[in-house]
């Protein structure tokens, strides 16, 4: 018996025309299985429409508003001046002689360059990152966590947070059949997780966040998911996203304690995705790092639970996605395994050094006595203040729309409202087209209003419920327009599909 | 029966102390299988010695000379001014108003920023990279290849070349048992290839380069390797590194034609690693791109053979490794597969945008009428001139040493000389320690002289032969010192081990 691919080779040996070597039939099935909705078909279509508009095509709108991805600068947010000054100084050190750069930015740049081979941003760094940047990160974490010790030997610079998450997962995934590694992820989740799990042929274990309780993580649901999964795989790791993406909740200290206790009991590796740690808006909420909570649970926990936490330059108040900067701190890693992790990272040589420099500024901002202090904090406050205002506005306006219910956007950069689509309409009309009702909803929204969102199915949701994810990143004025257009669209959509609910006899 | 990992869980449920979840027993075996000598144990040891020297430890030398990795700036090469000006302008656009930057650098920066969301380097780019940079790359390739058409839709920006190579391999690898994908790689090879193949559980198919013929690729050896591999796997792809790493040879046009004809006949996907395309030193040699040769073979070849070629900011005359810039051009990819590739790339969002900007400068340097033209070309010539001089010096000095034979360094940045270690010495003394003789050689070289090289076993070599890879990147003076120290060490080493050849009775 020949596979399709082998048949192709046989044909060729018989002298026929060359066939393609790489086709959908011969493509790695794990690649095929990967899905990543944040840049999926809706976004592709939005790009097509945008190009069409530029070429003069007619649409019922004049502009595509992209609220599909947490890309702050693309939505008009201005870079933090100090950060860019440091990166420019590192990139072109001749500027260190220029009087138009403040002394604190120069001091940061000199320090970073001294950590680089040949004092150049163009050298490879060590695989774990530039030493002095790792040291700055450790100091930052200690301050953030009010004195909980941080060892820079546990810090690894990464290419955005995604790279670190994928590297840690790669270490943990193995086995076949019932001993295949299981990865517990929240539903809804950020689809990097499901994509990586597919690609690595691990088992995705869903634990559902509690939508009726502001997307809180319920420890009973963790137990349920774990026990069910144990029947068919080997759960190895639990992933938490806090503040939540796409759900925007901020976890309570008690909830984090419960998760850590659970991980301790069940010998799970903990991955805490904390890239939105600076994005907390709700006055009742506070960011608690998994590490600090683990520390406060006592040495039996702090010295044993394996915890990797992730941060990034892309979110927070800096929004520097393009620099692909990030770091992870990994606690209690077995020493031999640590050497294996460094080896794995060394194959891709090093994370981008300019991204490392950007990360350094975020963990080592101007101090009160330094010349850039006031401007830095003014800019930081302006960004975070506007986000807090937009978080509240988004929730408020969405909750005035009949058939939309939106939890408070306590943190992160997204709302993930539930949309009520008449159930019979879903079954009768939409499933016959083979696409999910929320995908249909988002497609029509895009075509009729120019608003680009991501359907909830791209993140996962309880069966029979529908959502979308939208960022709160457009400017306040544009976001208001977006929300009003969305309201009008939703009312019209509901009316249209509600009529389908009448039995046709 | 429980696996070790499952037993750990059972213990925990019985109330014993928490065990580690991730140990060498539970680590992904594919990660364990990965080897990457360029940053392997010798390099770790070199780092330890370096730190020791700084802390006042005594060694028979005062400085570690790292000739293990192609890291130009770390070895003292200065950045190209124009490139860094453009990157600094992009990073801190306020500088566009500064009179101390030339107009052509500003024009490049403005163009790049216009291609970025919100005109900021901090936005994510499209997964394939910034449109206008992809267009510039296509124009560059057309010029390089004397008019062979290049479509910017086939261009993908990458995070260094490694990222592109891994992505393409990931697409091609699948199957189990006899239908497992086989990847043909040269021996000696750059160990990214073997590491990626291990990690993906593909089959590595070695074809040996001809050391006696200046490391040329022999088409008969390709046939041999292919036929032998067909018995136990499904060969899918052939990788070529031209100019060679670690071997420094530059392939002839005839040889490239033969490879492409072979790939055409056997339905293989072709990956040509051309990151050293600007690094050709030997006056008898010329870089021929696989693409141009394919074009000249006629439309039956040019329109059918699937070819991915890779380039990088890290090598050439710029040596900008830290920016992690690169691109790949992929020809004749099936359209559906192309969509899958873009999806796969989209999961990691985008390559670093500052690396993309650096790549843009390399493909779009100052033109004769522009203000930076003279300085740019002066700097470029200086770098390439010095490399050519060092390539020749390295070969010459090494070939004066008895027991070392070095092929001409026609291109790239490395010499890969053969070292003759008395065979009985290898067997009797060295293999008993469980490390390869060339590893022992390099370890002793490091300990006695402070010179850090990579043993040939990290790249692959014919059984019973031993080599090392050294870069030609130290400054001319330092390289001369290195080569002389190496000569003295080798003579001493040979003497010591030659005595072991006497049978001891």
């Amino acid at each position: 018996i020949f596979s399709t691919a082998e048949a192709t080779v046989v044909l060729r040996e018989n002298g026929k025309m060359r066939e393609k070597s790489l086709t959908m039939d011969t493509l790695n099935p794990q690649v095929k299985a990967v899905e990543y909705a944040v840049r999926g078909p809706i976004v592709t279509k939005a790009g097509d429409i945008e190009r069409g508009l530029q070429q003069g095509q007619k649409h019922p709108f004049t502009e595509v508003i992209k609220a599909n991805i947490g890309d702050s600068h693309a939505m008009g947010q201005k870079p933090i001046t100090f950060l860019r000054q440091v990166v420019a100084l590192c990139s072109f050190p001749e500027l260190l002689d220029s009087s138009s750069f403040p002394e604190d930015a120069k001091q940061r740049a000199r320090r970073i360059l001294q950590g680089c081979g040949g004092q150049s941003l163009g050298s490879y760094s060590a695989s774990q990152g530039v030493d002095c940047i790792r040291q700055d990160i450790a100091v930052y974490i200690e301050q953030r966590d009010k004195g909980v010790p941080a060892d820079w030997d546990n810090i690894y610079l990464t290419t955005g947070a995604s790279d670190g998450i994928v590297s840690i997962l790669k270490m943990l995934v193995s086995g076949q059949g019932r001993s295949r590694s299981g990865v517990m992820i929240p539903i809804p989740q950020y689809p990097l997780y499901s994509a990586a799990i597919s690609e690595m042929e691990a088992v995705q274990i869903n634990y559902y966040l509690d939508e009726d309780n502001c997307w809180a993580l319920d420890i009973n649901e963790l137990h349920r998911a774990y026990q069910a999964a144990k029947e068919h795989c080997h759960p190895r790791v639990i992933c938490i996203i806090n503040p939540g993406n796409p759900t925007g909740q901020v976890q309570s200290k008690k909830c984090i304690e419960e998760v850590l206790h659970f991980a301790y009991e069940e010998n799970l590796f903990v991955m805490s995705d904390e890239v939105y740690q600076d994005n907390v808006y709700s006055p009742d909420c506070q960011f608690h790092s998994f590490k600090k909570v683990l520390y406060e649970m006592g040495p039996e926990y702090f010295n044993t639970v394996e915890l990797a936490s992730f941060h990034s330059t892309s979110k927070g108040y800096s929004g520097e996605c393009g620099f692909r900067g990030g770091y992870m701190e990994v606690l209690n890693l077995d020493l031999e395994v640590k050497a294996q992790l460094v080896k794995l990272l060394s194959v891709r040589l090093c994370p981008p050094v300019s991204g490392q420099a950007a990360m350094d500024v975020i963990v080592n901002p101007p101090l009160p006595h330094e010349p850039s202090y006031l401007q830095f904090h003014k800019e930081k406050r302006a960004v975070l203040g506007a986000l807090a205002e937009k978080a509240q506005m988004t929730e408020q306006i969405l909750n005035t729309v009949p058939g939309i219910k939106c939890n408070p956007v306590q943190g992160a950069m997204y709302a993930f409202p539930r949309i009520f689509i008449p159930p019979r309409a879903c079954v009768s009309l939409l499933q016959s087209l083979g696409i999910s009702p929320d995908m249909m909803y988002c497609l029509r929204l895009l075509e009729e209003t120019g608003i680009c969102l991501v359907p909830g199915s791209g993140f996962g949701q309880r069966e029979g419920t529908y959502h979308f994810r939208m960022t709160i990143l457009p400017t306040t004025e544009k976001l208001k327009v977006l929300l009003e257009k969305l309201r009008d669209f939703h009312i019209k959509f509901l009316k249209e599909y509600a009529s389908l609910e009448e039995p046709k006899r």
Side-chain angles (χ1 to χ4, degrees), chain A:
Chain A
I1 298 170
F2 287 106
S3 76
T4 318
E6 282 171 316
T8 309
V9 174
V10 172
L11 276 174
R12 188 68 207 99
E13 280 166 356
N14 291 344
K16 301 260 174 66
M17 179 69 182
R18 187 188 199 271
E19 310 253 325
K20 293 228 181 277
S21 139
L22 184 56
T23 65
M24 289 303 280
D25 286 336
T26 62
L27 177 69
N28 181 347
Q30 288 164 249
V31 169
K32 226 182 288 183
V34 164
E35 287 183 27
Y36 188 70
V38 175
R39 294 199 158 188
I42 300 263
V43 186
T44 308
K45 179 146 196 125
D48 293 345
I49 293 179
E50 221 167 16
R51 270 184 294 277
L53 280 171
Q54 280 162 8
Q55 290 157 14
Q57 277 176 21
K58 288 275 167 279
H59 286 279
F61 47 85
T62 54
E63 179 192 21
V64 171
I65 306 180
K66 285 191 178 161
N68 60 295
I69 188 167
D71 191 357
S72 306
H73 292 200
M75 299 312 292
Q77 184 183 309
K78 292 283 158 267
I80 298 287
T81 304
F82 184 71
L83 188 151
R84 293 304 191 88
Q85 285 173 330
V86 174
V87 172
L89 286 161
C90 290
S91 302
F92 193 56
E94 279 83 338
L95 292 171
L96 287 165
D97 299 330
S98 157
S99 58
S100 46
F101 283 78
E103 207 39 60
D104 46 359
K106 289 183 184 174
Q107 179 264 328
R108 298 294 189 288
R110 277 193 206 100
R111 185 158 184 286
I112 293 167
L113 290 175
Q114 267 155 24
C116 294
Q119 304 212 17
S120 168
L121 224 52
S123 300
Y124 292 120
S125 75
S127 311
Q128 275 192 259
V130 175
D131 282 1
C132 69
I133 299 178
R134 291 163 63 207
Q135 288 159 0
D136 288 348
I137 292 170
V139 170
Y140 161 81
I141 294 174
E142 279 194 9
Q143 286 172 350
R144 182 197 68 188
D145 290 343
K146 317 272 184 275
V148 178
D151 182 349
W152 67 277
D153 196 36
N154 292 332
I155 309 290
Y156 304 73
L157 275 297
T158 56
T159 307
S162 308
D163 167 52
I165 292 167
V166 169
S167 298
I168 295 292
L169 281 176
K170 206 174 269 173
M171 307 278 288
L172 283 157
V173 158
S174 63
Q176 291 293 327
R178 278 196 51 189
S179 68
R180 209 144 57 107
S181 298
V183 181
M184 302 188 74
I185 62 170
I187 295 295
Q189 53 113 20
Y190 174 58
L192 165 68
Y193 291 93
S194 51
I197 292 167
S198 291
E199 205 186 308
M200 296 175 197
E201 282 192 295
V203 178
Q204 175 175 325
I205 306 172
N206 296 336
Y207 65 89
Y208 289 86
L209 301 176
D210 185 357
E211 180 162 17
D212 294 334
N213 193 13
C214 263
W215 296 114
L217 193 165
D218 174 8
I219 189 71
N220 295 315
E221 167 61 10
L222 271 194
H223 284 290
R224 181 209 59 76
Y226 177 81
Q227 293 301 334
K230 253 176 55 177
E231 301 297 314
H232 60 92
C233 72
H234 177 193
R236 295 283 306 276
V237 49
I238 174 163
C239 304
I240 301 101
I241 312 173
N242 177 46
N245 175 6
T247 39
Q249 85 286 14
V250 178
Q251 287 181 345
S252 69
K253 195 174 160 194
K254 176 167 166 290
C255 165
I256 296 172
E257 270 171 13
E258 287 172 345
V259 172
L260 287 168
H261 181 74
F262 167 77
Y264 172 84
E265 286 292 326
E266 306 295 2
N267 263 74
L268 295 172
F269 196 106
V270 180
M271 293 173 64
S272 61
D273 179 339
E274 304 181 325
V275 300
Y276 297 100
Q277 58 188 266
D278 287 325
N279 299 100
V280 176
Y281 314 119
S282 178
D284 317 327
C285 295
Q286 199 191 329
F287 170 73
H288 301 278
S289 78
F290 267 65
K291 185 187 177 193
K292 178 158 182 281
V293 175
L294 188 67
Y295 181 78
E296 289 167 356
M297 289 168 77
E300 198 188 336
Y301 290 84
F302 190 64
N303 297 330
T304 61
V305 174
E306 294 147 284
L307 169 66
S309 61
F310 304 91
H311 198 11
S312 162
T313 60
S314 304
K315 312 301 171 186
Y317 54 88
S318 61
E320 295 283 8
C321 312
F323 280 93
R324 312 307 299 121
Y327 75 77
M328 57 184 178
E329 182 186 25
V330 190
L331 300 184
N332 294 315
L333 199 61
D334 174 271
L335 279 183
E336 278 181 280
V337 172
K338 190 170 179 170
Q340 295 285 319
L341 174 59
V342 173
K343 179 191 72 178
L344 183 68
L345 297 176
S346 75
V347 177
R348 58 97 170 102
L349 296 161
C350 70
V353 183
S354 45
Q356 298 188 43
M359 194 75 242
D360 191 57
V361 177
I362 291 170
V363 298
N364 187 13
L367 298 171
H369 65 274
E370 290 183 315
S372 303
Y373 182 79
L374 285 179
Q375 190 186 356
F376 176 86
H377 280 277
K378 197 177 145 205
E379 290 176 359
K380 177 176 167 177
R381 267 198 311 273
V383 171
L384 292 176
L387 285 171
E389 187 189 16
K390 291 188 282 187
Q392 206 176 18
M393 181 174 82
T394 302
E395 179 204 343
Q396 279 174 352
I397 299 187
L398 285 175
N399 280 330
T400 65
V401 185
I404 292 189
K405 185 173 174 301
C406 184
N407 272 321
V409 182
Q410 298 171 334
M413 295 178 168
Y414 316 98
F416 195 70
R418 181 160 175 192
I419 46 178
F420 294 89
I421 303 178
R424 209 145 7 138
C426 298
V427 177
S428 67
L429 186 80
L430 302 169
Q431 291 194 343
S432 65
L433 295 172
I435 59 171
S436 67
D438 52 2
M439 171 71 91
M440 165 62 88
Y441 182 94
C442 290
L443 267 175
R444 284 202 38 193
L445 179 72
L446 174 64
E447 283 165 355
E448 295 177 24
T449 68
I451 298 171
C452 178
L453 307 179
V454 188
S457 46
F459 305 89
Q461 52 200 354
R462 280 198 184 273
E463 219 187 299
T465 71
Y466 302 106
H467 302 77
F468 57 76
R469 186 185 83 164
M470 62 171 281
T471 73
I472 57 167
L473 295 176
T475 59
T476 311
E477 303 74 53
K478 202 172 267 186
L479 184 62
K480 204 157 174 239
V481 172
L482 183 158
L483 289 163
E484 284 161 0
K485 279 184 166 194
L486 183 55
R487 182 188 57 203
D488 298 347
F489 167 83
H490 187 82
I491 292 169
K492 182 166 151 273
F493 182 90
L494 265 203
K495 231 178 244 165
E496 193 177 325
Y497 284 92
S499 65
L500 290 170
E501 290 299 284
E502 309 297 326
K504 290 179 191 168
R505 296 235 174 142

